[in-house]
Amino acid sequence: MQLRDILAEPLGLRLLHGDAAALHRPVTRACVTDMPDPTPFVTPGALVCTGLVWRRDPTDSAPYIGVLARAGAAAVAAGRSLHGHVPDDVIAACRQHDLPLLEAPQTLPFSRLIEHLAARNAETRLRRVKSGLARQRRLLATVAAGGDPNDLLTEFARDEDIAAWLLTGTGAPIAGTAPLTEDQIDTLIGSAAAAPRLPVTLPDGYAVWPVGGRMGDRISLWYLVIRDDAEIDDSGADLAAVAELYRMRHRERLRLRWEIDNPDRIDPLPEGAVAVVVQAVTRSNAGAVEAISHPAESPTEPIDSGTPPLGQQRRAATSDRDPEATTTARGRNGTLSDPDDLRMLVHEILPTARTELDREGRIIAWTTGGEREVADELRRRLGRLRPALRGVRLRVGISSCRSGESVSGTVASAAAAASVPTAEVVSIRIADVDSAVGLLTAVPDGLQRRFAERVLGPIVDYDRRTGAGLLQTLEIFLGCAGSWRQAADRMHLHLNTVRYRIGRVEELTGRDLGRLDDRLDLYLAVRAYTAPV
């Protein structure tokens, strides 16, 4: 019941303090106490009935009402028998602590008030049970008749006079009674994923229920979002339970599709197809990076000198293991113990993609579109899972299949980008193999750093001891395409000073900047050394 419902009962209660918003407060139970410390007798949502026996003088009111407010009381019902009225200091204390105050007439014993409210609560529960059963029958009838989720939400929203949405864990809309902006979805999914428990009530009248998923899992489940200005009752749980039938049907259809799609007999890829490799990793207690591995069922076949079938090309191309990762047993992490969960996520974000699971437990997906567009979509939707990943990191590599490029080469590029270790919870990398610098980005960060330190170590050490600025001079010199004059002008130095510094660089590194291969070594080393960590 709400506070306004109690005031509407024929009990003679009168509101002394409380605004319109306070009248919508839910009241879960009623209790009677005049103890000096009422805390043990007050639970959140309680209507506290008191004869004001605890009040010895006006200074007692503010501390006592404050204790009730902090205990989560919904309202106070004060009797008039002791003082003949409710003192002004009690009213002021309720106003101070924003606690609604009701006045009970002298002819109303608190025992009769509690009995009356208990009877009405029992009637309300019975009506809700009957209404819930009828509602569930209607909702199940909609499912049985072959209606889609929009039919389900439309009927529910019409009956309850609310707005409702069904969203995946990454915020992909399944159904809804009105459009939601991406920013609204970011807020709803982020709040739900970070909530200690579900369902959860959010600002602006939103409430979120979990749809499916294992206990504690915020990755494989969907969310039912309801917006209602009034109190939201158990009808949300009824709809979430029925919506789970759609989620299960969706997952089973995808599994059937995976079984039918034999990767060795897939049609040739369209021009401009994009390969996406998704890998989940976690950190062990010792701090080492570990891959969450779900090996494919098929045995490893040797690849002969001929051209293997498409599926074998893909599996062969993704066999290189992350040098900082080790394979873990199935189910090592509770949030991604089922390999299908990660694969389902990819299909939620890229609905038209074709996917398979490789021997390393990574998801290999093929889709269409530009690399940037695919990366942006993955970055936004996977980013919504950050609060739910709980120590798991998702690495994604993307590479488009250029004209004349092999399928295995495209997948290998994406897999290399996905294998780069990073501290980011969700890492999205596009495999840039059109340049030497882009190719270097596919090398793990630690290996890049070791290469740079090995090549530039003598220069860095010399600069540290003398402050000569050789590394800065080398970087600017290479940026000026080896032009002495341009480098000198940019650094505001004499031409001979630049020549002398570059000569010292060549002596210390054993490289000749007149040779193309040596210049490339130094250029890549500088790029790797100065790149942000």
Side-chain angles (χ1 to χ4, degrees), residues 25 38-39 42-46 48 61-76 93-100:
R25 291 189 183 185
T39 307
V42 179
T43 56
V48 180
S61 296
Y64 196 89
I65 298 300
V67 170
L68 296 180
R70 288 189 293 274
V76 174
C94 287
R95 184 177 296 110
Q96 174 186 346
H97 293 285
D98 191 25
L99 197 60

Side-chain angles (χ1 to χ4, degrees), residues 154-178:
T154 299
E155 180 176 344
F156 178 83
R158 183 183 61 247
D159 291 346
E160 302 291 331
D161 192 24
I162 59 169
W165 299 266
L166 189 58
L167 306 173
T168 70
T170 61
I174 301 297
T177 56

Side-chain angles (χ1 to χ4, degrees), residues 254 257 261 269-270 274 346-355 365-369 374:
L254 276 179
R257 174 177 162 188
D261 283 346
L269 296 171
V274 177
V346 175
H347 281 277
E348 288 177 7
I349 301 169
L350 307 172
T352 61
R354 301 191 315 232
T355 65
W366 288 94
T367 186
T368 56
V374 172

